[in-house]
Amino acid sequence: MVMLCVGGPLIAQVPEVVLASNKRTTTTQVLNDYSLLEVIKELERVHDVIFDYRKNLLKDKSLRVSKSDIQTSSIQQVLNAVLPQFGLQYKKYSERSYLIYLPEGDAVKRAKSRNEDVQSDVENMPDYGSVHSTFKYYAVTINGTVKNESSEPLPGASIVLKGTTTGTVTDAQGKYVLNIPDGGGTLVISFIGYQTVEEVIDNRTVIDVALQPDVASLGEVVVIGYGTQKKADVTSSISSVNERDFKEQPVTRLDQVLQGRATGVQVTNSGGAPGGDVRIRVRGANSLSGDNDPLYVIDGFVGGDFNIINPNDVESIEVLKDASATAIYGSRGANGVIIVTTKSGKRGEMKLDLGARFYSSQVLDKWNTLSAGDFAQISNERALASGGTPKFTQEQVDQYDANGGTDWQDEIFRTAPGMEYQLAISGGSEKIRYLISGNALDQDGIINNSGFKRYTLRSNIQAELSKKLTARFVF
């Protein structure tokens, strides 16, 4: 019999295991036959932990132990008393994760020292495996160095075994060490600003990599007053908003696209109603008596109305904010210039985009007002306190208390629905590209008899008439 006393000595005799408390009692433990697998399952249930093992490790292994002791003892007490009886060991990986394994045999150690395939000694390998797919047995160690195009080390580069979460990063000298389950697979090496490289392991243990700069990431361009330019080369003050910045947002007008997304641009909804007046200022008000609205340029046409633009048709918006950026527009650009570039067709097969959005608006909070009866009562009390005559008779006060009066907020406000439908057809060939889109928006306001409706139809057709002449039709 094996008796394990918490804080007491362990007297070994297999296969009976008793876990007793350190209280001095004469209680006789009731021992029952349990398989080792049943003991582990009971530990998982009682302590809410996960054990990783192969079933054949615990198969056909039984012992006599008290179930009550399993439930009341700690995990370490049970494992330390039970596993050594069968030559097994355990390792704790986290607060809720444990690994049960068979220690390495001599054959495995010899194979690893010769850098041979340990599968040839599978009968002596640690039986790690996975029931819960949490842990793996790492049999091969790979190391190497990651450098840049100038053969300088790259510290902090990421090395990951493709398709897994196994990975590491390079140290200050660009070196790394990674343990993997076997000699196969692919390493994915990446670093910010450099092209990602994939290296097939193919039983190699030393893999050195030289990464090349990712120059494509530096090619972002913006629209300026006189064409396009690389964003890195722009010296004037420009804010840019791309379609990806608002594509997933429920925006219905251009001012909602700019609000909070363009630095130096103030967007104020002065009315609050759907389709109401909006004030847009670029770097504040620049005139004391004149108009402070910026100049709108839509697809090259100066003086467009942003209210009629469908945000789903917008590809990018650039805001020119200083003199050098707006020089081409002269005094008209004194309050800033907002350049809107809409989408155009792409070469390829015809593409059909259909979308629908549904909105619902309601008042967040209403004033907490008096009922009609309370108002009449307070009015009478105020009149009496000031030496006047009550305005309401007691009969009127009682009547107002009975019907509660009218809350005019309920009469004015409502839950306002809204709906929007979008249909676009695009495509093209080497010579002609086209995009035709339609949009229907019907949005009610939270105040009765208010709302905003917009119906737009737009086409953008580009035709290459010759190598030197291209025509564009927009309406």
Side-chain angles (χ1 to χ4, degrees):
M1 176 182 297
V2 174
M3 179 173 292
L4 177 62
C5 297
V6 179
L10 176 63
I11 305 174
Q13 182 179 343
V14 180
E16 294 184 352
V17 178
V18 175
L19 298 170
S21 67
N22 56 6
K23 295 181 180 180
R24 297 183 178 179
T25 64
T26 57
T27 303
T28 302
Q29 298 287 355
V30 179
L31 304 181
N32 297 310
D33 290 328
Y34 293 100
S35 68
L36 183 55
L37 181 60
E38 289 175 331
V39 173
I40 298 302
K41 290 293 185 183
E42 185 66 15
L43 287 176
E44 288 183 323
R45 185 190 68 82
V46 172
H47 297 281
D48 190 24
V49 296
I50 295 176
F51 285 94
D52 201 270
Y53 51 84
R54 281 195 184 276
K55 286 187 177 180
N56 59 5
L57 263 183
L58 312 184
K59 187 178 179 182
D60 300 328
K61 293 179 174 63
S62 60
L63 65 160
R64 296 179 61 81
V65 66
S66 170
K67 186 174 183 179
S68 62
D69 282 348
I70 299 175
Q71 296 174 343
T72 57
S73 301
S74 67
I75 298 176
Q76 288 77 11
Q77 288 173 341
V78 177
L79 295 180
N80 290 336
V82 170
L83 295 183
Q85 317 301 327
F86 307 101
L88 301 176
Q89 296 180 8
Y90 75 93
K91 187 172 185 179
K92 183 177 180 180
Y93 278 87
S94 67
E95 291 299 323
R96 297 183 59 250
S97 302
Y98 291 81
L99 172 66
I100 298 178
Y101 63 95
L102 185 68
E104 291 184 353
D106 292 337
V108 175
K109 295 179 180 178
R110 289 195 303 271
K112 290 174 69 176
S113 64
R114 296 192 306 266
N115 195 25
E116 296 178 355
D117 186 357
V118 297
Q119 296 296 330
S120 61
D121 299 292
V122 68
E123 68 278 1
N124 294 311
M125 284 185 63
D127 203 351
Y128 282 9
S130 179
V131 171
H132 301 285
S133 301
T134 305
F135 307 109
K136 295 179 182 293
Y137 170 62
Y138 297 107
V140 177
T141 299
I142 297 177
N143 61 77
T145 305
V146 179
K147 299 181 179 180
N148 60 14
E149 74 282 5
S150 303
S151 297
E152 298 174 347
L154 287 177
S158 174
I159 299 91
V160 179
L161 182 62
K162 189 174 183 179
T164 71
T165 58
T166 302
T168 186
V169 294
T170 56
D171 59 17
Q173 288 74 40
K175 299 182 181 296
Y176 71 91
V177 177
L178 181 64
N179 296 321
I180 64 173
D182 52 46
T186 302
L187 292 183
V188 180
I189 301 97
S190 60
F191 190 76
I192 297 176
Y194 289 81
Q195 297 177 4
T196 299
V197 173
E198 295 188 2
E199 286 282 344
V200 179
I201 298 174
D202 195 22
N203 291 321
R204 292 182 293 170
T205 58
V206 178
I207 300 178
D208 297 327
V209 179
L211 300 182
Q212 300 298 321
D214 186 6
V215 295
S217 62
L218 303 178
E220 185 177 359
V221 298
V222 295
V223 178
I224 56 179
Y226 37 86
T228 59
Q229 193 172 357
K230 281 188 177 182
K231 194 170 184 179
D233 297 334
V234 173
T235 57
S236 55
S237 182
I238 296 177
S239 290
S240 179
V241 180
N242 294 309
E243 178 196 9
R244 61 178 179 270
D245 297 327
F246 61 88
K247 186 176 182 180
E248 303 300 328
Q249 304 297 320
V251 295
T252 59
R253 297 201 313 180
L254 185 66
D255 57 279
Q256 296 173 348
V257 173
L258 290 173
Q259 194 167 27
R261 295 184 176 90
T263 57
V265 179
Q266 300 174 349
V267 180
T268 306
N269 194 328
S270 56
D277 293 336
V278 176
R279 185 178 66 184
I280 298 178
R281 298 289 182 264
V282 178
R283 287 186 170 176
N286 301 311
S287 174
L288 295 176
S289 58
D291 188 7
N292 286 296
D293 290 335
L295 178 68
Y296 296 94
V297 180
I298 303 173
D299 288 331
F301 295 95
V302 179
D305 183 5
F306 76 89
N307 289 291
I308 64 174
I309 299 177
N310 174 20
N312 295 293
D313 292 336
V314 174
E315 185 171 24
S316 67
I317 302 174
E318 274 72 39
V319 183
L320 314 184
K321 295 180 285 189
D322 63 5
S324 63
T326 62
I328 190 174
Y329 299 105
S331 61
R332 294 176 300 175
N335 297 321
V337 180
I338 297 178
I339 300 178
V340 180
T341 303
T342 59
K343 298 177 182 177
S344 59
K346 307 296 182 182
R347 292 185 177 91
E349 297 181 354
M350 185 181 72
K351 181 180 179 182
L352 177 65
D353 291 323
L354 176 63
R357 287 176 177 170
F358 299 94
Y359 309 91
S360 179
S361 304
Q362 62 184 23
V363 180
L364 293 178
D365 195 12
K366 296 187 299 185
W367 289 100
N368 186 16
T369 59
L370 295 172
S371 66
D374 291 337
F375 177 78
Q377 183 67 34
I378 291 176
S379 296
N380 287 345
E381 292 176 358
R382 181 177 181 276
L384 291 173
S386 59
T389 303
K391 297 180 180 181
F392 303 96
T393 65
Q394 187 60 42
E395 183 180 352
Q396 289 176 318
V397 174
D398 294 339
Q399 182 181 355
Y400 295 154
D401 276 333
N403 58 37
T406 301
D407 188 344
W408 292 104
Q409 295 178 100
D410 294 336
E411 300 299 320
I412 296 174
F413 297 123
R414 64 179 175 179
T415 298
M419 58 191 69
E420 182 180 10
Y421 300 97
Q422 170 75 17
L423 176 63
I425 301 174
S426 62
S429 61
E430 293 295 327
K431 298 293 184 179
I432 298 178
R433 291 178 292 170
Y434 62 90
L435 183 144
I436 302 174
S437 67
N439 177 267
L441 172 66
D442 187 355
Q443 186 176 12
D444 292 336
I446 59 174
I447 297 179
N448 286 317
N449 299 320
S450 67
F452 176 58
K453 293 183 180 181
R454 183 190 65 212
Y455 304 96
T456 63
L457 178 64
R458 176 182 170 274
S459 70
N460 188 342
I461 302 174
Q462 298 182 25
E464 185 179 331
L465 303 180
S466 67
K467 292 184 178 179
K468 297 183 178 180
L469 180 61
T470 299
R472 183 180 182 187
F473 307 93
V474 179
F475 70 85

